[in-house]
């Protein structure tokens, strides 16, 4: 065993800097987090994409949380994903019938995520959107953004937030891929960085 003499300042070495965690893949993901829409619902849409770092590399250990209104613009108050069996405490998951409006998705080994949800309806002024929260390595504070789905050009043109961000508005609008599928990549920094929001 090596003993260090701490009686003089010259003998004390600084602790090397290092970062451990956060480990978002532990305890936060849950089975079925990507299935926000009720099973078999005819109006289900799929939103998917990649979480990318400043160099364009995918992050295999990020988490994406989504919240959205139902097609009528109403926010769900359903227990949703975090239901527990009162007797055992086991995770029950969604009931498969009600729209929860919320999901949590872990990116796969290629940095890809997807969610099946319902296209949100408008809530007040502005175009409908899905709220997004991103957790990833290197972020001390999670990031907030929005996903706008294409289809209503007039609503998108008049949306206050999209108007405010000007040329960067395209980083908030998903690309339609057909058959109810939309692509939305989340770029954490660098060229084409997604617009992130700060709430005060």
């Amino acid at each position: 065993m090596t003993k260090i003499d701490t009686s003089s300042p010259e003998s004390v070495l600084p602790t090397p800097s290092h970062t451990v965690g956060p480990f978002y893949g532990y305890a936060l993901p849950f089975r079925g987090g990507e299935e926000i829409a009720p099973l078999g619902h005819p109006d289900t849409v799929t939103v998917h994409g990649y979480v990318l770092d400043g160099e364009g590399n995918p992050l295999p250990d990020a988490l994406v949380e989504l919240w959205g209104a139902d097609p009528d613009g109403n926010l769900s108050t359903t227990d949703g994903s975090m239901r527990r069996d009162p007797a055992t405490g086991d995770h029950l998951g969604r009931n498969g019938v009600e729209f929860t409006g919320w999901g949590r998705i872990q990116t796969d080994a290629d940095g890809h995520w997807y969610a099946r949800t319902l296209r949100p309806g408008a809530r007040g002024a502005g175009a409908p959107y899905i709220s997004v929260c991103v957790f990833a390595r290197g972020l001390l504070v999670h990031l907030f953004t929005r996903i706008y789905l294409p289809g209503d050009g007039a609503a998108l043109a008049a949306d206050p937030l999209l108007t405010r961000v000007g040329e960067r508005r395209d980083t908030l609008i998903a690309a339609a891929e057909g058959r109810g599928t939309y692509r939305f990549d989340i770029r954490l920094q660098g060229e084409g960085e997604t617009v992130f929001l700060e709430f005060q």
Side-chain angles (χ1 to χ4, degrees):
M1 173 186 273
T2 304
K3 293 186 178 181
I4 298 175
D5 177 13
T6 58
S7 61
S8 69
E10 293 82 25
S11 64
V12 178
L13 300 175
T15 303
S17 65
H18 62 279
T19 300
V20 177
F23 299 110
Y24 294 118
Y26 175 74
L28 288 178
F30 59 91
R31 185 178 66 253
E34 68 281 352
E35 300 294 341
I36 302 169
L39 297 174
H41 195 287
D43 299 323
T44 299
V45 296
T46 300
V47 183
H48 76 104
Y50 292 84
V51 177
L52 305 166
D53 67 15
E55 296 179 353
N57 298 318
L59 297 179
D61 53 0
L63 282 179
V64 177
E65 286 188 355
L66 303 178
W67 301 276
D70 69 15
D72 295 324
N74 300 314
L75 296 177
S76 176
T77 58
T78 303
D79 286 345
S81 314
M82 306 312 284
R83 292 183 319 130
R84 298 274 179 185
D85 182 325
T88 66
D90 289 341
H91 172 72
L92 293 174
R94 301 176 200 277
N95 65 16
V97 177
E98 297 174 276
F99 177 67
T100 66
W102 181 80
R104 180 184 290 149
I105 307 101
Q106 184 173 10
T107 56
D108 66 16
D110 297 321
H112 185 258
W113 64 274
Y114 78 93
R116 292 185 183 93
T117 188
L118 299 180
R119 188 180 184 101
R123 300 188 70 239
Y129 59 87
I130 300 169
S131 295
V132 181
C133 183
V134 182
F135 301 81
R137 66 175 116 145
L139 296 179
L140 298 178
V141 178
H142 44 276
L143 301 173
F144 296 98
T145 189
R146 291 180 178 177
I147 301 172
Y148 290 89
L149 300 180
D152 187 343
L156 292 173
D159 185 83
L161 177 65
L162 291 176
T163 302
R164 244 176 115 185
V165 299
E167 294 177 2
R168 295 184 61 203
R169 70 193 308 271
D170 289 342
T171 69
L172 297 176
I173 302 173
E177 295 185 327
R179 296 185 172 187
T181 301
Y182 300 90
R183 174 141 179 202
F184 187 80
D185 291 338
I186 301 167
R187 297 180 185 275
L188 300 181
Q189 58 179 292
E191 187 176 346
E193 176 183 333
T194 301
V195 170
F196 296 105
L197 310 173
E198 181 176 309
F199 294 96
Q200 299 179 352

